[in-house]
Amino acid sequence: MTDSFSLKGKTILITGASSGIGRACALECSKAGAFILAFGRDEDRLAESISSLEGEGKAFSVELTNTDEVDEVMKELENNGVKIDGVIHSAGISTTLPLRMITPDKIQPLFDVNVSSAIYLSKWVTRKKMVPENGSSIVFLSSVMGSVGEAGKTIYSITKGAVLAASRSMAVELASKSIRVNCISPGVVESPMSENAVYSRNESARKKIADLHPLGLGKPEDVANAAIYLLSDASGWVTGTNLFVDGGYTAR
Ligand SMILES: NC(=O)c1ccc[n+]([C@@H]2O[C@H](COP(=O)([O-])OP(=O)(O)OC[C@H]3O[C@@H](n4cnc5c(N)ncnc54)[C@H](OP(=O)(O)O)[C@@H]3O)[C@@H](O)[C@H]2O)c1
């Protein structure tokens, strides 16, 4: 790895670090030299993530939809003089629900985790005291569902499209502070989220989904490697963009 792709000396905050893509991001960013602030809820799985790191890191059990909990942890970090070089917001939830079954109460929980928590956390990490002199980089996990559609994905798509839209305005607003904001839009990645999805219930449904990806289903590490690029100095002139990491799903 050349120096510009290295995360050596950087502190990276990763939400969803207790599972799937977020955990892979923690492990791969650690291999790339970063100190990891691992956010999640399940303490045992968070501890597993921390113990698998190549370098150093610290776990924080936080319910991201509870702003008091977020405030408490972020205040502690700020008071300890922690500067945040990068963020990967991987925490998220999904649902597959036909339009006829959608009610307002089904929308809010997804919006709270996938969108509102991303914005609230971004407010914290872009505070003057938390941004290193050279600026920082924020990466949101959107999804191909933020740009294209599938039956039953209306609510999930709303939230992932919202994150894409937010990242562009944030990128413009924060550029003068050398803070970059980008999204990654994965196709289907093998993780607990996709394993629990309806398309994983039987082999033929799973094959149908896999066949939509010319390169097959993704691995969490495929997304983590893209995140490393967006966090590193190698992407210093990249902001407000959306990187599809989807095995060719959207190329079809
Ligand atoms: N897997 C895919 O195929 C795929 C495709 C496109 C986009 N994505 C996006 O990629 C991201 C990661 O997905 P994944 O596959 O890694 O999912 P996952 O394995 O289900 O992990 C989700 C993570 O989010 C955390 N989380 C959920 N709700 C939370 C809350 N209210 N407060 C704090 N943390 C919360 C979970 O923490 P605990 O487990 O500790 O509760 C877990 O660490 C998501 O944003 C997802 O939408 C995934």
Side-chain angles (χ1 to χ4, degrees):
M1 191 182 279
T2 62
D3 270 349
S4 52
F5 287 88
S6 166
L7 300 181
K8 206 164 175 229
K10 293 189 191 285
T11 296
I12 307 295
L13 190 165
I14 301 170
T15 70
S18 51
S19 179
I21 293 171
R23 173 178 277 171
C25 286
L27 269 52
E28 297 304 314
C29 287
S30 178
K31 280 187 204 161
F35 182 89
I36 307 299
L37 303 172
F39 281 37
R41 289 181 300 191
D42 187 291
E43 291 184 11
D44 292 341
R45 282 190 280 103
L46 263 181
E48 269 175 46
S49 297
I50 291 289
S51 67
S52 311
L53 297 180
E54 203 158 279
E56 299 291 307
K58 197 172 172 201
F60 297 88
S61 178
V62 193
E63 167 54 62
L64 286 173
T65 61
N66 182 332
T67 54
D68 290 341
E69 276 190 34
V70 177
D71 288 347
E72 194 180 320
V73 172
M74 296 309 293
K75 245 179 233 159
E76 182 192 323
L77 291 171
E78 189 180 66
N79 290 342
N80 288 333
V82 174
K83 306 272 186 199
I84 306 219
D85 298 277
V87 175
I88 304 172
H89 180 60
S90 186
I93 51 176
S94 180
T95 185
T96 303
L97 208 58
L99 186 62
R100 68 189 146 76
M101 291 174 70
I102 295 177
T103 48
D105 59 305
K106 298 272 189 336
I107 300 174
Q108 199 57 45
L110 263 82
F111 211 84
D112 289 345
V113 186
N114 296 357
V115 185
S116 302
S117 77
I119 304 304
Y120 197 73
L121 189 66
S122 297
K123 284 184 63 170
W124 262 108
V125 299
T126 55
R127 280 158 72 110
K128 204 172 175 200
K129 274 177 144 180
M130 297 211 103
V131 181
E133 214 176 303
N134 293 336
S136 60
S137 169
I138 298 174
V139 179
F140 293 139
L141 260 297
S142 179
S143 161
V144 290
M145 288 302 121
S147 299
V148 299
E150 285 289 353
K153 284 301 188 188
T154 299
I155 299 180
Y156 185 63
S157 296
I158 294 169
T159 65
K160 293 302 177 180
V163 163
L164 283 176
S167 70
R168 289 189 287 263
S169 286
M170 284 173 61
V172 173
E173 183 172 327
L174 298 169
S176 62
K177 296 179 180 168
S178 301
I179 300 170
R180 301 184 292 110
V181 187
N182 292 288
C183 285
I184 297 176
S185 287
V188 174
V189 171
E190 289 171 346
S191 78
M193 179 182 279
S194 56
E195 277 148 29
N196 292 327
V198 282
Y199 50 74
S200 293
R201 280 189 197 150
N202 63 64
E203 207 33 61
S204 76
R206 196 180 145 82
K207 185 177 177 316
K208 227 167 146 185
I209 287 288
D211 287 347
L212 294 173
H213 299 72
L215 293 178
L217 298 182
K219 300 256 181 270
E221 293 73 24
D222 295 321
V223 179
N225 287 329
I228 289 175
Y229 164 66
L230 289 172
L231 294 171
S232 72
D233 298 345
S235 62
W237 202 48
V238 178
T239 196
T241 197
N242 174 34
L243 181 52
F244 286 106
V245 180
D246 66 357
Y249 182 97
T250 50
R252 296 170 65 252

